[in-house]
Amino acid sequence: MEAIEKIKEIAAQVVPGAKIEIINSTPAAQQPALLVDREHIYAVGKFLKEDPRFQMDFCSCVTGVDYLPKADKPGCIEVVYHLYSTTQKQGPIVLKVRAPRELEQCHVPSLTPLWRSCEFQEREAYDLYGVKFNGHPDLRRILMWDEFTDFPMRKDYTPPADYEWEPTPHDDTLDRAVQEGGIMPPTAREELERAKKK
Amino acid sequence: MIQPLTDAPRFSLTTGADGLIETQTLEVSIGPQHPSTHGVFRMDCVLDGEEVVALKPVMGYLHRNHEQLAEKMVWLGSMPYTDRLDYFNSMTNNWAYALAVETLAGIKVPERAEYIRVIMSELTRLLNHSCVIGFMLQDLGAWGTPLLYAFRERERILDLFEAVSGSRMMCNYMRFGGVRVDMTESDLAVAKDVVTRFPRFLDEFEKLLTGNEVLLGRTQRVGILPKELAINAGISGPMARASGVEYDVRKVDKYGVYGRFDFRVPVGEIGDVYDRYFIRVLEMRESIKILQQALRDIPQGPRVAPEAKLRNFKIPPGDGYGRIEAPKGELGFYLVSDEGGKLPYRYHVRPPSFVNLTTLEDMCLGHKVADVVIILGSIDIVLGEVDR
């Protein structure tokens, strides 16, 4: 397989306007990644999948990473795709795409139309990180329960004080959790408001 | 002649516009508890009569945020916890995690440790495949017999695991740069004994099953997964190979010392449940070949790399992905190390069972509801790994 610089060059030619950047991994791992901007990630993915030089037909791993803001750079949610080729037995090409951490702007294009294997894995990334995948056919929570409102893998997530939390807490559990500032599912919130009105 | 009690008809049928009886689809929720999974997994089926017209898998009942727990521990701290992912195959889980960390930190594993790893993971493959066939037949209604035959063989392998690691199922055996305990000569002799006995068991197993008319009738042309869809949906392991995808991480990546062994990758033609059964039998035969070569060639030497420290183990900043061919498919770990490098900044498991469930609906459409159970059984999922 071509070196990462060469892949970047070819991709930049084929997809005009794409901002592509190389991100290095650890010195030992030698798995450099291509960071593509949100507008062009789909086009770059489509090109890597269909081009006879690469034929990246197997999208193995999709995941999110949460980078908190630091003094010198703003934070972001990064979505990482690991692509392999089953026909040419080569890979991986690592694609990365970044979105702001704020929930309203945290969205990237979905690659599920290209690779079905992204379907569940993107749902998982949405469930745990709150990154929305535009164009995903069925974007719902997959591991957490449907009433859950937060995104537990974010680095600034505070777990509820009570680990024996129920989807519909009540009585003592609810009182204690509210006092300790736990995170409340909407059903519990409704119940609390109803109790206040009384 | 029996007189009706009232003049009113006993039941009434509404007829549709075409004059035929009006029917409607029925929504059935199969699960979360049902016999064909070893855990809790639900399928929302829409049935037209007995035929499946839509199916949505619902998971997460066993979710314990494994990844977040691992991000709060040192690198080695989550090694015992990887056992609990796919609790049938703790050895391969250990290896996948160790391999990802070694890729990231650039640790070279000594020869002997590599051979021990191969022996352990191929034994794991034997026990997983034989038990999965047992479970699959249990789903078909062959209660007990095939499964207990498989469990009898599994017991011999688990005895060996217990001897080397101290635990039957939660082995926690591998370390970064090697393994925790060396295999003694007597352990190797037990392994050799297991390997010489196993083909006989397989012959017996196959005599019971491969040409069995009930098995053929229930599994052939059921749950067909086309090759293109299998690749596109990221299906890996025996399931992909049954659909004709010639892809084995052991052959492609040649991680560990797999490049030295002579073995073949069996590939199916149709991709139905029967192919998935038969691929597993063939893979067990190939595993035996690998085991024979590994047990013959295992060299003397250290069991762990000296540069891999147990205490104060740090990794320079960066990210990496390590994957192996686990019995269920491609098991990968995506790890990110940040400044400091004492804890994983990001720890992600790419579980084969989870991704292999993607095409469950495609395989079940148009089949009877009774076939759904056997199709799910042929995917070979473990919910500890799906839900994490």
Side-chain angles (χ1 to χ4, degrees):
Chain A
M1 203 173 65
E2 280 100 342
I4 192 87
E5 288 80 16
K6 182 92 176 139
I7 299 172
K8 180 194 161 186
E9 208 175 282
I10 299 171
Q13 276 172 7
V14 176
V15 186
K19 291 186 211 67
I20 307 176
E21 203 181 307
I22 295 173
I23 297 181
N24 285 315
S25 60
T26 63
Q30 293 295 332
Q31 293 177 355
L34 294 176
L35 176 69
V36 188
D37 59 328
R38 282 196 275 179
E39 286 72 33
H40 297 97
I41 179 81
Y42 185 88
V44 172
K46 194 171 160 61
F47 159 70
L48 287 176
K49 185 189 169 194
E50 286 165 3
D51 191 271
R53 280 168 291 184
F54 303 108
Q55 288 183 313
M56 292 290 151
D57 48 6
F58 187 84
C59 179
S60 167
C61 175
V62 183
T63 185
V65 189
D66 180 14
Y67 290 103
L68 286 172
K70 278 182 192 159
D72 53 338
K73 52 184 174 183
C76 65
I77 300 277
E78 192 176 80
V79 182
V80 188
Y81 296 88
H82 282 79
L83 310 178
Y84 286 88
S85 169
T86 57
T87 39
Q88 301 195 3
K89 308 259 189 306
Q90 62 182 11
I93 292 182
V94 190
L95 286 184
K96 291 183 176 182
V97 57
R98 284 180 181 170
R101 291 187 80 249
E102 291 72 34
L103 277 179
E104 310 81 58
Q105 298 153 31
C106 192
H107 57 84
V108 295
S110 167
L111 298 192
T112 308
L114 292 176
W115 295 285
R116 264 289 293 282
S117 54
C118 300
E119 186 181 336
F120 281 8
Q121 301 191 69
E122 285 185 341
R123 266 177 77 184
E124 188 197 319
Y126 162 70
D127 189 2
L128 303 180
Y129 284 96
V131 45
K132 286 191 192 65
F133 291 91
N134 300 331
H136 190 287
D138 183 23
L139 196 65
R140 287 178 291 138
R141 287 191 176 271
I142 190 164
L143 295 176
M144 306 300 285
W145 58 96
D146 291 341
E147 293 82 15
F148 194 78
T149 49
D150 220 312
F151 301 105
M153 282 298 284
R154 286 189 170 228
K155 290 282 173 185
D156 53 0
Y157 170 76
T158 37
D162 193 334
Y163 282 95
E164 296 298 312
W165 194 267
E166 303 157 48
T168 51
H170 49 81
D171 301 341
D172 295 350
T173 328
L174 184 61
D175 290 345
R176 193 150 35 104
V178 170
Q179 277 167 17
E180 293 177 15
I183 285 157
M184 244 185 294
T187 44
R189 216 169 279 152
E190 282 162 22
E191 201 164 302
L192 197 74
E193 274 160 21
R194 222 176 294 138
K196 268 183 196 164
K197 272 180 198 164
K198 275 182 192 171
Chain B
M1 197 183 150
I2 300 167
Q3 291 291 322
L5 291 174
T6 59
D7 291 341
R10 301 284 284 277
F11 55 86
S12 63
L13 293 170
T14 46
T15 46
D18 50 0
L20 297 171
I21 300 168
E22 198 183 324
T23 57
Q24 57 185 19
T25 54
L26 180 69
E27 213 170 290
V28 181
S29 168
I30 306 179
Q33 271 90 8
H34 55 103
S36 67
T37 65
H38 335 217
V40 271
F41 174 73
R42 191 155 68 88
M43 292 175 282
D44 274 343
C45 296
V46 180
L47 304 178
D48 181 6
E50 269 195 74
E51 217 165 80
V52 179
V53 289
L55 184 147
K56 291 280 171 232
V58 183
M59 53 196 97
Y61 291 91
L62 218 61
H63 181 54
R64 53 213 185 273
N65 224 341
H66 174 93
E67 296 177 359
Q68 197 185 50
L69 290 171
E71 284 169 20
K72 289 177 176 167
M73 275 186 271
V74 291
W75 293 96
L76 187 61
S78 40
M79 181 63 89
Y81 205 25
T82 57
D83 292 339
R84 277 85 177 161
L85 281 172
D86 174 0
Y87 40 78
F88 243 71
N89 312 314
S90 60
M91 289 288 190
T92 45
N93 297 345
N94 285 177
W95 194 1
Y97 181 48
L99 187 86
V101 171
E102 282 153 12
T103 314
L104 218 59
I107 300 169
K108 198 161 171 359
V109 184
E111 288 265 296
R112 186 174 174 83
E114 292 278 26
Y115 272 87
I116 294 177
R117 284 178 175 190
V118 168
I119 292 168
M120 288 304 168
S121 72
E122 291 308 319
L123 284 172
T124 305
R125 204 179 311 276
L126 289 182
L127 78 85
N128 178 71
H129 283 359
S130 57
C131 289
V132 157
I133 293 171
F135 283 126
M136 216 167 90
L137 283 142
Q138 185 128 328
D139 299 343
L140 275 178
W143 284 99
T145 313
L147 184 60
L148 284 178
Y149 276 37
F151 265 42
R152 188 187 61 198
E153 293 311 305
R154 173 175 177 253
E155 208 58 33
R156 291 192 223 285
I157 299 172
L158 289 187
D159 283 347
L160 174 66
F161 285 0
E162 191 177 11
V164 294
S165 75
S167 176
R168 283 155 44 86
M169 284 172 80
M170 303 294 127
C171 296
N172 180 19
Y173 183 56
M174 313 243 171
R175 288 289 175 268
F176 309 140
V179 295
R180 184 159 54 91
V181 188
D182 204 354
M183 270 179 104
T184 60
E185 281 305 313
S186 64
D187 292 336
L188 288 172
V190 173
K192 270 180 196 146
D193 183 48
V194 169
V195 174
T196 33
R197 277 162 184 260
F198 209 87
R200 247 186 300 165
F201 154 74
L202 264 185
D203 292 342
E204 181 191 41
F205 213 42
E206 271 208 85
K207 219 177 255 175
L208 269 175
L209 303 173
T210 306
N212 187 313
E213 209 169 318
V214 180
L215 184 83
L216 293 175
R218 282 297 305 278
T219 57
Q220 284 194 330
R221 301 263 160 203
V222 169
I224 294 177
L225 179 65
K227 186 180 172 186
E228 291 71 35
L229 181 62
I231 298 174
N232 194 254
I235 308 296
S236 52
M239 222 181 123
R241 290 193 283 276
S243 296
V245 185
E246 198 222 324
Y247 195 74
D248 189 318
V249 183
R250 289 176 293 176
K251 282 277 188 199
V252 176
D253 281 9
K254 293 192 173 60
Y255 61 93
V257 284
Y258 273 115
R260 294 181 199 176
F261 301 121
D262 169 39
F263 67 102
R264 292 181 301 171
V265 179
V267 175
E269 278 178 351
I270 302 165
D272 55 2
V273 175
Y274 185 78
D275 271 6
R276 271 169 237 149
Y277 152 75
F278 202 57
I279 283 286
R280 292 198 168 99
V281 173
L282 294 176
E283 269 188 23
M284 281 194 271
R285 295 204 186 275
E286 295 304 314
S287 284
I288 291 167
K289 273 208 276 184
I290 298 174
L291 275 166
Q292 283 166 343
Q293 294 167 51
L295 286 165
R296 186 192 61 205
D297 299 340
I298 181 167
Q300 292 295 331
R303 63 164 175 84
V304 73
E307 73 262 27
K309 291 185 289 183
L310 272 182
R311 282 164 197 278
N312 210 7
F313 179 75
K314 284 181 191 166
I315 293 179
D319 63 342
Y321 181 64
R323 58 174 196 161
I324 68 160
E325 181 74 30
K328 289 180 167 55
E330 178 191 324
L331 174 63
F333 278 78
Y334 175 70
L335 304 169
V336 180
S337 171
D338 207 13
E339 282 121 64
K342 268 191 159 182
L343 314 178
Y345 185 77
R346 176 77 175 107
Y347 166 103
H348 174 72
V349 190
R350 187 262 189 217
S353 319
F354 178 70
V355 184
N356 284 1
L357 276 173
T358 312
T359 52
L360 181 62
E361 185 180 17
D362 305 65
M363 290 191 289
C364 291
L365 289 184
H367 285 298
K368 300 272 182 288
V369 68
D371 291 332
V372 171
V373 177
I374 174 75
I375 292 169
L376 181 67
S378 73
I379 299 178
D380 179 14
I381 58 167
V382 157
L383 271 297
E385 188 180 58
V386 173
D387 293 343
R388 281 157 293 147

